[in-house]
Amino acid sequence: MRLPARVSAAALSAATALVLATACDLLPDDAPDAAAPYARLTGPEVTNKALAATRAAKAVRMTVRTATPDGPVEAYVATDVRGACTVTLSMGAAGTLELVRTGGTVRTRSDAAMLRAASTARGPRGDAEVERLTGRWVEPAAGDRQAKTAERYCDRETFLGLLAPTSGTARKGRTTAPASPDGPASGTPALAVTGGADGRTWSASIATDGRPYLLKLRAAPGPDGTGHDAAPVTVEFSEFDKPFTVRQPKP
């Protein structure tokens, strides 16, 4: 028995559409991550690719935000694989410290508030000494805790280590443009990934255009050893492989 012509035409049309969709590797509009380059990868695989790419970048800028009992902390960092680094570290009421590292030599420059805040650890400073050192580049003493803290920001692993140990727990989300803490979305398409374990959680944005760089990380480190939860840390990574020049400042 022959099928009605209109039924045959409908079937042919549906079959043709299916063949075209298969040939073009099209997926339904509501398929998760259908257009993302990581659709065939698991969450841990994507996250490990992002960690590897970010570690391998010849240079990177980082903007770090967190908090301490003394107030908010912000750091602006430029660092490269040669070890060159610049840091501007603002620690709320404790003041601001700048650090430059090049050729294995470290110099720091502090404002008056930072110098006074450091007096507790290094002994009292008179007003005359604070005035003399304010705004001057100096070679920090071996036990200078502020300088050591600032220099830790030069190592991107300090922050990648907030998620690397639990990368195996990563779960993929949607592809969006990550938002900056104080502004609109960055405009760079990125895959959202989340993970964590033992009370420590993190969320990350991984670039979907070009290399799979880690664009943003927000980590809640969990207990800090004093019975309290450590403050969340937000890190934005940018300007991958963009070289920069660091000149050793004169004392």
Side-chain angles (χ1 to χ4, degrees):
M1 178 184 296
R2 296 182 61 187
L3 294 175
R6 63 182 180 181
V7 174
S8 299
L12 179 61
S13 176
T16 302
L18 178 60
V19 169
L20 289 174
T22 303
C24 296
D25 195 26
L26 295 177
L27 292 171
D29 290 342
D30 60 352
D33 292 320
Y38 311 128
R40 300 181 186 275
L41 299 179
T42 65
E45 288 172 337
V46 175
T47 303
N48 288 328
K49 286 175 68 71
L51 287 168
T54 305
R55 288 182 176 121
K58 294 180 180 179
V60 66
R61 273 66 164 179
M62 298 182 290
T63 300
V64 185
R65 293 179 174 90
T66 186
T68 70
D70 296 323
V73 175
E74 293 186 341
Y76 302 93
V77 185
T79 183
D80 66 18
V81 294
R82 301 170 301 165
C85 179
T86 65
V87 180
T88 300
L89 177 62
S90 297
M91 303 178 65
T96 298
L97 178 147
E98 297 171 81
L99 179 143
V100 170
R101 185 177 73 187
T102 181
T105 300
V106 175
R107 294 283 188 273
T108 61
R109 179 168 65 180
S110 303
D111 63 11
M114 181 66 76
L115 290 169
R116 291 192 177 95
S119 66
T120 302
R122 295 201 293 254
R125 293 184 182 276
D127 290 342
E129 186 177 6
V130 169
E131 184 176 351
R132 179 177 65 84
L133 294 175
T134 296
R136 287 188 56 185
W137 289 102
V138 298
E139 183 175 354
D144 190 322
R145 291 191 298 175
Q146 281 79 7
K148 291 293 184 183
T149 297
E151 192 172 3
R152 286 188 69 240
Y153 283 76
C154 292
D155 184 0
R156 67 192 83 171
E157 196 61 37
T158 297
F159 307 105
L160 299 182
L162 294 171
L163 70 82
T166 56
S167 63
T169 68
R171 299 177 300 279
K172 293 193 296 181
R174 294 183 176 276
T175 301
T176 59
S180 299
D182 301 320
S186 68
T188 302
L191 175 68
V193 182
T194 58
D198 300 324
R200 295 169 169 83
T201 61
W202 54 264
S203 60
S205 298
I206 299 170
T208 58
D209 286 346
R211 300 199 65 189
Y213 290 124
L214 185 65
L215 300 180
K216 185 177 178 182
L217 168 65
R218 187 179 190 276
D224 61 4
T226 65
H228 300 87
D229 285 343
V233 180
T234 300
V235 188
E236 292 183 78
F237 301 86
S238 63
E239 299 187 55
F240 298 94
D241 290 324
K242 183 176 181 179
F244 62 95
T245 302
V246 180
R247 292 183 175 84
Q248 189 62 247
K250 296 181 179 179

